[in-house]
Amino acid sequence: MHEDSPASPTAAALGELFDSLPDAVTVFDYEFRVRYLNRAAAELLRAARIDPDLVIGSECWDVLPGLRGSEWEHALRDVASRRVPVTFERLSPTLDRWFETRIVPSATVMTAITRDVGERHAAEVSNADSRALLHAILNNTTDAIYVKDREGRYLTINGAGAAALHRTPEEVIGHTNFELLPKDVAEPMRENELEVMRTGRTLHREDMVQVDGVHRYYLSARGVWRDSKGEVAGIVGVATNITGRRRREQENMLLAEAGRVLTESLDYRATINAVAHLITPALADWCSVVVVSADGALETLAVAHADPEKVRWAKEAGVRYPVRQESPTGVPEVIRTGRSEVIPLITPAMLRGAAEDDAHHELLTTLGMRSAMIVPMKAHGRTLGAITLIATESEREYGAADLPLVEELARRSALAVEHAALFEAAAAANKAKSEFLASMSHELRTPLNAILGYSALLYDGITGPVTPSQQEQLVRIRASAGHLLGLIDEVLSYSRLEAGREQLSFQDVEAAAMLDESSSLVRPMLAAKGLALVVPPGEEGGSLYLQTDVLKVRQILVNLLTNAVKFTDAGSVTLGVRSAGDDLLFTVRDTGIGIAAENLEAVFEPFWQVEQTSSRRVGGTGLGLSVARRLARLLAGDVTVQSAPGEGSTFEIRLPRAPLRAP
């Protein structure tokens, strides 16, 4: 469609050519009149409800008022004035579609070529939205995400990844890890990248990243990315910061190991020293432990460093410059107040203030202390000492976040010191008790022996005639004194066992003889209560032998027989022996009151008896069964019991046929 003009084959051919184009072609003269429209341009006008025939030959502003003030007007006037091509995009308000127009000037006209770019524009908008969404995702995650080329140069990295390197994304892109990290950190990372590109497999590794002296741990996943040809073009990686988790794991492991060390011995000096060496170098370069001694003085219990020579040097320095209790700062102040002290950065002024003289100041300076932490060792409201951690060459810098772990270590250490002190006090008290029992028992035996001796002389009439009634009284005196002597011997045995002074003397003995000797000693008690004694025939014709301490075995059997008689009112007591491999089993069975299941072990405790009331029917020290079991164990055997209330009791003594240790 064009103005009236002489027809020519060339013009007709050009018209057909332009009409075949999918783009709209519009020709303007420099008076802004429309001189030509091809078929596509006419269709656009019709779609906008404009008659194309009314446009030809008219000034565009008159027939197309929507062009005024639009990109069209600016472009046409620009081309007309400068005679240079102009390209622009415009959203048609009537068609609600995006078009791209290029206006090209010539000598007499301006040709505008308009193309529908709606799909392209929509795709660009979609891509822009996708990029914005991807940018939001990448920069709102705490994981480090990055892309590298084959040479290891960063092509892109999100904010979290750049922050891990203490840089901005712009400072990272275009660089390799060798330019951003220490060589010993960058090398293993590059090896992992090369392995990923070589194998094509995603690789999961744990990386330690050290930047500006700060250590962080990352769980990294690295995979390949490929170009449009399917070739490996580089790697893409995601790294999750697991520093907090690793720290908690290390703290738990340290606490577990410290707990093991602190409980494996009651020598608190050794255990505290071991804990100090656990702390060094896990948490500090130097660690010292100061405790409050019994007289209130401050005692350095441990000094730890990775270098033993430095420990020796530090101890010598500690002798020259001991911790002074009156000092207003440091360890004495922490012990006085019970409050921890953290010094993130030790300044030269602090060192000067802590020094006692120039030599001391030089020594402190030589240590190169950067940061320190002092925590009190508290247990049950008492401060028993303090633990000091010092960072030097490791470049640590202590803060409030480090306190909970060290305070927990200090608390456990304080409990270990307290428990050790309590154990020592208990051991001393127990020793005093045993010595008292042994001494008093010995002192009591002397007058008792005299009573027994003189009563025997009187009974025999050595000093003169004795009437039958007097003889009866003397018999009762001798029986009571003998009973009391037995009680004293029981206490003496217990005290010797407690003090570890019981001696063993081994000899060969026939088991049947042991039964005869032991039963003969309790027959009067059995007869007094009308109880039968049952001794079954021995195995192998009574030829069971063992090598043992005869007196100890006899005491065990007599104690068990006496106990059986005490708690049996009717029936019998059975005493027997049988072989059991390398052992002999002696049994004492009664038909007495029996023992409840919950008390089967309690009966072997010192001073414990089945009847616990003040109106007990039977007397005794409550040591017989305890002494019996301890003697059996001293002989590498044991004593056990089976019983039920009202069904009697069976005590079993297991003893080796031959001693397991030299007498």
Side-chain angles (χ1 to χ4, degrees):
M1 185 178 294
H2 50 81
E3 285 188 297
D4 295 335
S5 60
S8 67
T10 302
L14 286 174
E16 290 180 7
L17 174 63
F18 286 143
D19 285 340
S20 67
L21 294 175
D23 298 333
V25 178
T26 307
V27 179
F28 301 86
D29 61 20
Y30 285 102
E31 298 298 326
F32 305 110
R33 290 189 297 267
V34 179
R35 310 303 296 179
Y36 173 81
L37 295 170
N38 72 344
R39 184 177 291 113
E43 288 175 356
L44 286 178
L45 289 174
R46 291 189 187 97
R49 300 178 185 239
I50 299 172
D51 187 351
D53 293 330
L54 299 177
V55 172
I56 297 299
S58 302
E59 190 174 336
C60 64
W61 323 120
D62 295 335
V63 293
L64 300 169
L67 299 186
R68 284 197 179 274
S70 70
E71 295 88 341
W72 272 98
E73 181 178 4
H74 297 311
L76 285 168
R77 295 190 184 279
D78 192 19
V79 172
S81 63
R82 297 195 302 122
R83 302 298 174 96
V84 293
V86 172
T87 302
F88 64 90
E89 284 189 4
R90 178 174 183 263
L91 175 63
S92 171
T94 55
L95 300 177
D96 193 25
R97 291 157 66 186
W98 281 89
F99 294 91
E100 178 188 78
T101 300
R102 179 172 177 80
I103 304 174
V104 181
S106 63
T108 59
V109 295
M110 297 177 288
T111 302
I113 303 171
T114 301
R115 176 175 297 170
D116 187 339
V117 293
E119 291 184 2
R120 188 192 75 190
H121 195 273
E124 290 175 350
V125 170
S126 177
N127 289 339
D129 290 343
S130 297
R131 287 194 296 272
L133 178 60
L134 180 60
H135 183 272
I137 293 172
L138 292 179
N139 288 284
N140 284 281
T141 180
T142 56
D143 290 344
I145 302 175
Y146 57 88
V147 179
K148 293 183 176 183
D149 63 16
R150 291 185 62 87
E151 283 67 43
R153 287 187 295 268
Y154 286 93
L155 299 179
T156 185
I157 188 168
N158 68 341
L165 300 170
H166 292 193
R167 289 170 172 81
T168 64
E170 292 74 21
E171 292 172 330
V172 174
I173 292 173
H175 298 281
T176 69
N177 281 336
F178 288 96
E179 300 171 87
L180 305 169
L181 298 170
K183 183 180 179 182
D184 60 337
V185 176
E187 280 184 342
M189 290 184 175
R190 182 56 181 164
E191 290 173 3
N192 290 338
E193 293 170 1
L194 293 173
E195 181 180 348
V196 168
M197 289 188 289
R198 184 176 64 255
T199 64
R201 294 195 300 267
T202 299
L203 189 64
H204 297 270
R205 287 287 188 274
E206 187 173 301
D207 296 325
M208 188 280 290
V209 179
Q210 178 185 352
V211 182
D212 298 336
V214 178
H215 292 78
R216 291 189 179 90
Y217 294 89
Y218 289 87
L219 188 61
S220 298
R222 297 179 177 90
V224 298
W225 69 277
R226 301 177 184 274
D227 59 20
S228 58
K229 298 178 181 178
E231 299 293 333
V232 174
I235 68 158
V236 58
V238 179
T240 302
N241 190 334
I242 59 169
T243 305
R245 188 182 78 189
R246 277 293 302 270
R247 178 170 180 164
R248 288 189 295 272
E249 290 173 353
Q250 292 169 350
E251 289 177 354
N252 290 336
M253 290 175 60
L254 182 61
L255 286 174
E257 182 63 14
R260 184 191 65 78
V261 168
L262 289 169
T263 55
E264 69 180 3
S265 170
L266 285 167
D267 182 356
Y268 73 90
R269 293 177 180 274
T271 56
I272 294 300
N273 189 64
V275 169
H277 282 83
L278 281 178
I279 292 174
T280 308
L283 302 176
D285 299 305
W286 286 92
C287 178
S288 67
V289 182
V290 173
V291 296
V292 182
S293 61
D295 59 1
L298 299 183
E299 177 188 359
T300 300
L301 205 62
V303 176
H305 189 279
D307 185 350
E309 181 60 26
K310 287 189 176 181
V311 172
R312 185 191 63 76
W313 171 74
K315 288 181 177 180
E316 291 177 357
V319 173
R320 292 171 56 195
Y321 302 101
V323 179
R324 302 193 181 279
Q325 200 162 8
E326 67 276 6
S327 176
T329 60
V331 170
E333 177 66 8
V334 168
I335 292 176
R336 278 194 297 270
T337 63
R339 293 193 297 270
S340 300
E341 183 178 349
V342 179
I343 308 171
L345 186 63
I346 298 175
T347 65
M350 291 178 182
L351 294 178
R352 172 57 69 183
E356 296 185 13
D357 51 37
D358 289 342
H360 192 201
H361 178 258
E362 183 179 352
L363 186 152
L364 294 177
T365 303
T366 303
L367 281 175
M369 296 184 292
R370 297 185 69 256
S371 187
M373 177 166 45
I374 310 172
V375 297
M377 296 166 55
K378 295 193 291 187
H380 299 102
R382 295 171 55 229
T383 301
L384 306 181
I387 298 178
T388 301
L389 280 69
I390 298 175
T392 54
E393 57 265 24
S394 66
E395 298 184 350
R396 291 181 178 92
E397 188 172 302
Y398 297 119
D402 300 301
L403 276 176
L405 172 61
V406 183
E407 287 180 340
E408 177 61 18
L409 285 170
R411 185 188 70 83
R412 296 188 184 193
S413 299
L415 287 174
V417 172
E418 184 181 64
H419 291 165
L422 291 174
F423 178 80
E424 288 180 357
N430 192 54
K431 181 180 179 182
K433 176 199 71 175
S434 297
E435 290 177 350
F436 171 77
L437 288 174
S439 174
M440 290 305 298
S441 299
H442 179 75
E443 293 299 322
L444 289 171
R445 281 179 64 91
T446 302
L448 272 176
N449 285 327
I451 291 171
L452 287 169
Y454 284 113
S455 63
L457 291 174
L458 288 173
Y459 182 86
D460 293 337
I462 301 299
T463 58
V466 180
T467 66
S469 61
Q470 290 173 332
Q471 281 185 333
E472 183 179 349
Q473 292 171 355
L474 287 171
V475 168
R476 292 180 178 177
I477 290 172
R478 291 175 65 184
S480 296
H483 177 66
L484 183 57
L485 186 61
L487 296 179
I488 292 171
D489 284 340
E490 208 166 63
V491 173
L492 275 173
S493 293
Y494 174 75
S495 64
R496 286 195 301 269
L497 288 166
E498 278 280 284
R501 295 197 299 265
E502 193 71 68
Q503 301 295 318
L504 298 177
S505 177
F506 290 87
Q507 65 185 80
D508 292 329
V509 62
E510 186 181 10
M514 298 292 299
L515 299 185
D516 289 341
E517 292 178 11
S518 303
S519 60
S520 65
L521 294 174
V522 296
R523 286 185 186 277
M525 295 177 60
L526 289 162
K529 297 189 71 172
L531 301 175
L533 177 64
V534 179
V535 182
E539 294 184 9
E540 303 171 23
S543 59
L544 294 177
Y545 287 85
L546 72 162
Q547 189 180 47
T548 188
D549 188 312
V550 176
L551 295 179
K552 300 293 187 298
V553 176
R554 181 189 301 154
Q555 185 174 355
I556 294 170
L557 291 171
V558 169
N559 283 8
L560 295 180
L561 287 167
T562 302
N563 183 78
V565 173
K566 284 181 181 179
F567 294 99
T568 303
D569 294 330
S572 63
V573 174
T574 301
L575 176 62
V577 63
R578 69 181 189 276
S579 63
D582 294 333
D583 299 330
L584 290 186
L585 295 179
F586 294 85
T587 55
V588 176
R589 184 179 299 109
D590 63 61
T591 57
I593 61 175
I595 306 167
E598 63 271 18
N599 295 328
L600 289 177
E601 283 300 311
V603 297
F604 295 104
E605 294 296 323
F607 309 108
W608 196 95
Q609 289 191 348
V610 173
E611 294 179 326
Q612 295 292 305
T613 63
S614 59
S615 57
R616 292 190 320 227
R617 293 178 298 164
V618 297
T621 62
L623 292 172
L625 295 181
S626 176
V627 168
R629 171 173 273 187
R630 293 186 183 210
L631 287 174
R633 290 180 174 177
L634 188 64
L635 295 169
D638 203 359
V639 176
T640 57
V641 62
Q642 293 180 346
S643 184
E647 297 181 8
S649 304
T650 299
F651 286 85
E652 188 175 79
I653 310 103
R654 178 181 291 270
L655 294 173
R657 290 176 182 266
L660 301 181
R661 53 185 176 180

